[in-house]
Amino acid sequence: MIVKESILKFENFSILNTICHYNHSEDLTREQLYSYPVDIDFDILGHKEEQIFKIVVSAKINSENKPGYTISVLSATFFRINGETQEQEKVNLLQYSGVQMAIANLRAYIEDITSVYPLGKYTLPTFDLQDLLNRKAETISNNQQ
């Protein structure tokens, strides 16, 4: 199928801060790596008049520094919205497509930096994006009260 081009344009992906550490253990398995909690947070920032937006995503894996990889990454993915659109459509584009692309970029970066470590590349597990968006909205709502 011929795809319809989106008005949401990817501009750039940058790493703002990163820590990746390998804690050796003789009996460590790859399965243990994926049992550690993954903490992801994000913020959508923008200049609405110029239609330029930045999605900042942080990921923390194994914050307790157990054997295996301890990873902390802060990234920014930049977007532009070309064309006129309703405010709710912009919000939807950024929340669903933008956040998903930002996390995909982060996932690829984490795979890349861990690929040279003894256990090989670590891939962020798939997760429920809708749940992440709902919990973020809940957190914002609670902070405004």
Side-chain angles (χ1 to χ4, degrees):
M1 285 184 267
I2 304 297
V3 297
K4 178 183 174 187
E5 191 173 341
S6 174
I7 61 172
L8 181 66
K9 304 295 181 190
F10 170 81
E11 294 282 322
N12 195 12
F13 171 73
S14 297
I15 296 299
L16 305 176
N17 192 9
T18 186
I19 297 169
C20 184
H21 176 75
Y22 175 71
N23 242 351
H24 182 71
S25 172
E26 292 297 326
D27 57 349
L28 180 66
T29 65
R30 287 191 56 77
E31 291 74 31
Q32 281 178 279
L33 291 177
Y34 290 98
S35 69
Y36 299 143
V38 176
D39 181 8
I40 292 186
D41 196 7
F42 69 92
D43 287 303
I44 301 173
L45 310 167
H47 192 284
K48 293 182 182 184
E49 291 78 30
E50 294 185 26
Q51 305 288 31
I52 299 170
F53 300 90
K54 171 172 62 174
I55 298 177
V56 178
V57 179
S58 67
K60 295 176 184 169
I61 299 112
N62 188 17
S63 295
E64 296 176 359
N65 205 23
K66 294 178 182 175
Y69 300 139
T70 298
I71 302 167
S72 177
V73 180
L74 182 64
S75 67
T77 305
F78 299 87
F79 297 94
R80 178 179 299 279
I81 294 181
N82 292 339
E84 294 298 317
T85 184
Q86 299 294 322
E87 190 62 30
Q88 189 56 48
E89 185 180 0
K90 287 179 197 175
V91 169
N92 288 343
L93 280 169
L94 291 165
Q95 282 186 341
Y96 294 99
S97 298
V99 170
Q100 190 168 340
M101 283 189 270
I103 291 171
N105 288 329
L106 184 63
R107 180 177 278 121
Y109 174 75
I110 290 171
E111 287 179 352
D112 190 42
I113 64 170
T114 57
S115 66
V116 295
Y117 282 88
L119 292 175
K121 73 178 182 177
Y122 175 88
T123 302
L124 275 178
T126 56
F127 55 88
D128 185 338
L129 180 61
Q130 187 63 50
D131 179 65
L132 180 67
L133 293 172
N134 289 341
R135 288 190 290 132
K136 182 65 175 184
E138 201 174 284
T139 300
I140 291 170
S141 176
N142 290 339
N143 288 341
Q144 292 176 348
Q145 293 176 359

